[in-house]
Amino acid sequence: MGYSVPVMAVTRGEAPVIGKDALGRPVKDLSVIPWWGLDRKKIEWYPSINYDRCVGCGICFITCGRRVFEWDKEMGKPVVARPYNCMVGCSTCATLCSCDAIEFPPKDYVRRLVIENGIIRKAFEITKPLTENAKKTEGTESEFNP
């Protein structure tokens, strides 16, 4: 794919639009956005489809907001076209698949990434101001804070 991504766009969390899917919805290359500071393309978290089980209903293709899937018109079934667009830890498509045709790596894979890369600490840093605000409002009952 011969496109370039401006560095500023990536650092602000923006992803380039790289086309449209079979339904005409815009498709972004979300793989250029790091996940908690990690290169998304180095994280092996994305769905795989067992075509022996897949009936081709398309619920995964339709509901995935990150456009991981594309529709193969010849097969009449979805394909994983943009694996690194998948949100690390998300498995909504597998949950919705009534045929159990979609699989992901074990949850322990993601949990290990979280622990090994200090992501819990990073999350606490982000939510700390929220906790501090909650402590400041304790004992300040009013009609707005009963």
Side-chain angles (χ1 to χ4, degrees):
M1 301 193 180
Y3 59 89
S4 63
V5 180
V7 174
M8 287 304 295
V10 174
T11 58
R12 286 194 315 257
E14 296 176 14
V17 174
I18 56 173
K20 294 187 177 195
D21 71 6
L23 292 176
R25 302 175 297 182
V27 173
K28 292 183 177 185
D29 179 9
L30 300 173
S31 70
V32 300
I33 300 173
W35 183 75
W36 289 98
L38 302 174
D39 181 347
R40 178 61 187 92
K41 291 180 182 172
K42 293 183 178 178
I43 302 171
E44 300 295 317
W45 181 270
Y46 45 80
S48 61
I49 301 171
N50 179 334
Y51 289 105
D52 291 334
R53 291 183 174 184
C54 178
V55 296
C57 71
I59 195 164
C60 56
F61 167 70
I62 295 166
T63 59
C64 180
R66 297 178 67 93
R67 309 293 184 258
V68 170
F69 301 94
E70 192 51 76
W71 192 256
D72 185 309
K73 292 178 183 178
E74 289 180 22
M75 276 198 317
K77 294 184 178 185
V79 294
V80 178
R82 292 167 288 278
Y84 298 107
N85 271 15
C86 187
M87 173 58 74
V88 176
C90 183
S91 59
T92 300
C93 57
T95 301
L96 294 174
C97 181
S98 63
C99 303
D100 291 327
I102 299 175
E103 298 173 356
F104 279 87
K107 283 190 289 188
D108 288 343
Y109 173 76
V110 175
R111 289 181 178 160
R112 192 172 57 252
L113 282 174
V114 167
I115 292 166
E116 291 173 358
N117 293 283
I119 294 171
I120 294 171
R121 178 186 46 78
K122 294 174 185 178
F124 271 121
E125 289 171 4
I126 292 169
T127 60
K128 186 177 181 179
L130 303 173
T131 306
E132 289 171 351
N133 274 345
K135 289 178 183 174
K136 289 178 186 174
T137 60
E138 286 178 14
T140 57
E141 290 79 13
S142 72
E143 64 181 288
F144 303 107
N145 186 25

